Amino acid sequence: MEKKVLGRREAMVRFEESPIYVITDEGQSAGRGNLTVVRAALEAGAKFVQYREKKKALRAMYEEGLLLRKLTAEYGAALIVDDFVDLAMLIGADGVHVGQDDLPAAAVRELVGDDMVIGLSTHNKEDLTEAVALYRQGIIDYVGVGPVYPTQTKDKPAPVTGLDYVELAVDTCAETGLPFVAIGGIKEHNIGAVAAVGAEHCAVVSDITMAEDIGGKIAALTASMKKFALI
Amino acid sequence: MEKKVLGRREAMVRFEESPIYVITDEGQSAGRGNLTVVRAALEAGAKFVQYREKKKALRAMYEEGLLLRKLTAEYGAALIVDDFVDLAMLIGADGVHVGQDDLPAAAVRELVGDDMVIGLSTHNKEDLTEAVALYRQGIIDYVGVGPVYPTQTKDKPAPVTGLDYVELAVDTCAETGLPFVAIGGIKEHNIGAVAAVGAEHCAVVSDITMAEDIGGKIAALTASMKKFALI
């Protein structure tokens, strides 16, 4: 079992510093492996990376996860594992991200202890209300908010929420301090609109993983967010 | 996080006492839920039950797993969870069963601590040799040996091993003490042949889960094993 590198507090500092939350999708990486894509993203300054993999066997994910852990540590970046709490613990990830159909966040917190980030996907007002309660209890650290736009990177995405739900999250975040990242179909051509309603963090998957020039893409996404940001 | 009920040593006593290792498969349970099937098996004296579920979301498995844990505890039976180490830990299962493509057994042992059974699927001589080493290191507690016959309860089963591999496991068990359970396509009509080459434990899935009279089926399977047993 690998030791965590950043831990919960440091990882959330990286979250706050990151307008772009990078998520892997090897099936949409133009033939490149996750390690190649993540290395390019780290070179471009990415500090918060999620290892999401829906198709590989856990044994292969464990081997790859150890390498991703080593790589992200070299760049001082946080590594979050999607779904697999056991895998996250074993590879020394700084956090785990779970959805509404995964293990309940409160149970996950009992398992991982206090020093690990837990992110939770939310899709509507009810999810968000529950997430605020979990945040106030110290169970979760941030929420995903979406899918804002249609997405092809999940087999069974939740219904598209549009920008209205992002606006609700902006208000909720302002009131409660709950950090959130907008997610779902966010790309260079629409990220400005998401930033314009107040989102300070956007998760981007295929627009980064498919980019020929990953560094250039991250720079362009970041620039678009800044251009349209509320403040 | 639920407390374990039996723990490692007691659970392995149940394993040793059990000629039939019951494994759930709700997709092949004649429309009945896992709880109904498991209750009937426990009523018939089953003492070692594996919760295997490949299709439900983890949230649903968590809820069901908690109920299965409560139910098996009432009957003093061991509960083993297939594949999901995090789930096994959270519901207080007595053990977890992993395959060659799952998280490595040594890593799983680090995660679950000393008081939990780890079972490992093996499919050939190389797997078995490695398993003996893991057993001697105190990492695993038993192995699955098979698939002895063709099976429909796994999407991607390993190649059928036939009885030759069971015979090798019998010899290996005699030499090293490594407990094993034969698995894969074992039903009432062929379980005698498996017992006849020396297997003392057989995992049965659909022949039990599909049986109208689950208690009668377990009795018949047990009788067949006894009738053909080496000793």
Side-chain angles (χ1 to χ4, degrees):
Chain A
M1 188 141 65
E2 301 298 315
K3 279 191 187 167
K4 272 186 289 290
V5 175
L6 296 177
R8 188 175 181 183
R9 184 194 299 254
E10 276 298 306
M12 284 309 294
V13 171
R14 301 297 186 284
F15 178 93
E16 289 303 334
E17 291 170 353
S18 303
I20 308 296
Y21 181 146
V22 176
I23 300 180
T24 63
D25 184 357
E26 198 166 78
Q28 296 194 70
S29 293
R32 297 168 295 195
N34 285 326
L35 281 156
T36 302
V37 168
V38 170
R39 184 183 292 278
L42 294 168
E43 279 290 330
K47 291 290 177 201
F48 206 81
V49 176
Q50 183 185 118
Y51 179 33
R52 185 160 85 182
E53 174 60 56
K54 303 282 185 189
K55 285 170 185 158
K56 289 183 188 172
L58 261 178
R59 175 69 59 101
M61 289 185 71
Y62 174 74
E63 301 299 339
E64 186 169 63
L66 289 173
L67 297 175
L68 284 170
R69 174 69 285 186
K70 194 157 171 262
L71 182 62
T72 47
E74 283 169 22
Y75 287 83
L79 178 67
I80 307 295
V81 170
D82 189 45
D83 289 355
F84 299 98
V85 181
D86 40 17
L87 178 67
M89 293 172 77
L90 281 173
I91 68 170
D94 303 302
V96 64
H97 188 98
V98 291
Q100 294 289 325
D101 284 343
D102 294 323
L103 292 170
V108 174
R109 175 58 69 202
E110 285 192 73
L111 197 54
V112 302
D114 284 334
D115 195 28
M116 201 155 156
V117 168
I118 298 179
L120 175 65
S121 296
T122 69
H123 310 299
N124 51 53
K125 191 177 175 178
E126 291 66 38
D127 291 352
L128 197 58
T129 302
E130 191 178 72
V132 167
L134 291 166
Y135 177 65
R136 286 181 167 151
Q137 293 166 68
I139 291 170
I140 65 167
D141 298 287
Y142 75 88
V143 290
V145 162
V148 183
Y149 300 112
T151 172
Q152 272 81 50
T153 60
K154 281 205 153 187
D155 281 346
K156 295 181 195 166
V160 169
T161 62
L163 289 172
D164 288 352
Y165 184 47
V166 178
E167 291 189 73
L168 178 66
V170 170
D171 293 343
T172 305
C173 177
E175 280 167 32
T176 65
L178 174 66
F180 81 93
V181 56
I183 184 167
I186 300 178
K187 298 174 193 283
E188 194 178 336
H189 71 85
N190 61 22
I191 197 168
V194 185
V197 297
E200 294 175 0
H201 310 278
C202 289
V204 179
V205 191
S206 63
D207 202 37
I208 290 174
T209 59
M210 288 297 288
E212 192 177 335
D213 172 10
I214 287 173
K217 175 60 75 172
I218 290 177
L221 287 160
T222 307
S224 281
M225 281 193 76
K226 277 192 186 149
K227 185 174 166 189
F228 289 95
L230 282 186
I231 307 162
Chain B
M1 189 140 67
E2 301 298 315
K3 279 190 186 168
K4 272 186 288 291
V5 175
L6 297 176
R8 189 175 182 183
R9 184 194 300 252
E10 276 297 307
M12 284 309 293
V13 171
R14 302 296 186 284
F15 178 93
E16 288 304 334
E17 291 169 355
S18 304
I20 308 297
Y21 181 146
V22 176
I23 301 181
T24 64
D25 185 357
E26 198 166 78
Q28 295 195 68
S29 293
R32 297 169 295 196
N34 285 325
L35 281 156
T36 302
V37 168
V38 169
R39 185 183 291 277
L42 294 167
E43 278 291 328
K47 290 290 178 201
F48 206 83
V49 175
Q50 184 186 116
Y51 179 34
R52 186 161 85 182
E53 175 58 58
K54 303 282 188 191
K55 285 168 186 162
K56 289 182 187 171
L58 261 177
R59 175 70 59 102
M61 290 185 72
Y62 174 75
E63 302 298 339
E64 186 169 63
L66 288 173
L67 298 175
L68 284 169
R69 173 68 286 185
K70 196 159 169 258
L71 182 63
T72 49
E74 282 169 23
Y75 288 82
L79 179 65
I80 307 294
V81 170
D82 189 45
D83 288 357
F84 299 98
V85 181
D86 39 17
L87 178 67
M89 294 172 77
L90 281 174
I91 67 170
D94 304 301
V96 64
H97 188 97
V98 291
Q100 295 288 325
D101 284 341
D102 295 322
L103 292 170
V108 174
R109 176 57 69 203
E110 286 191 73
L111 197 53
V112 302
D114 283 334
D115 195 27
M116 201 155 158
V117 168
I118 298 178
L120 175 65
S121 297
T122 69
H123 311 298
N124 52 53
K125 190 177 176 178
E126 291 67 38
D127 290 351
L128 197 59
T129 302
E130 190 178 74
V132 167
L134 291 167
Y135 177 66
R136 287 182 166 148
Q137 294 167 68
I139 291 171
I140 66 167
D141 299 283
Y142 75 88
V143 290
V145 162
V148 183
Y149 300 112
T151 174
Q152 272 80 50
T153 59
K154 280 205 154 190
D155 281 345
K156 295 180 194 167
V160 170
T161 62
L163 290 171
D164 287 353
Y165 183 47
V166 179
E167 291 189 73
L168 177 66
V170 171
D171 293 345
T172 304
C173 177
E175 280 168 30
T176 65
L178 173 66
F180 81 92
V181 56
I183 184 167
I186 301 178
K187 299 173 193 284
E188 194 179 337
H189 70 87
N190 60 23
I191 197 168
V194 186
V197 298
E200 295 175 358
H201 310 278
C202 289
V204 179
V205 191
S206 63
D207 203 35
I208 291 175
T209 59
M210 288 298 288
E212 194 178 334
D213 173 10
I214 286 173
K217 176 60 77 173
I218 290 177
L221 288 160
T222 307
S224 280
M225 281 194 76
K226 278 191 185 147
K227 185 173 167 190
F228 290 94
L230 282 185
I231 305 163

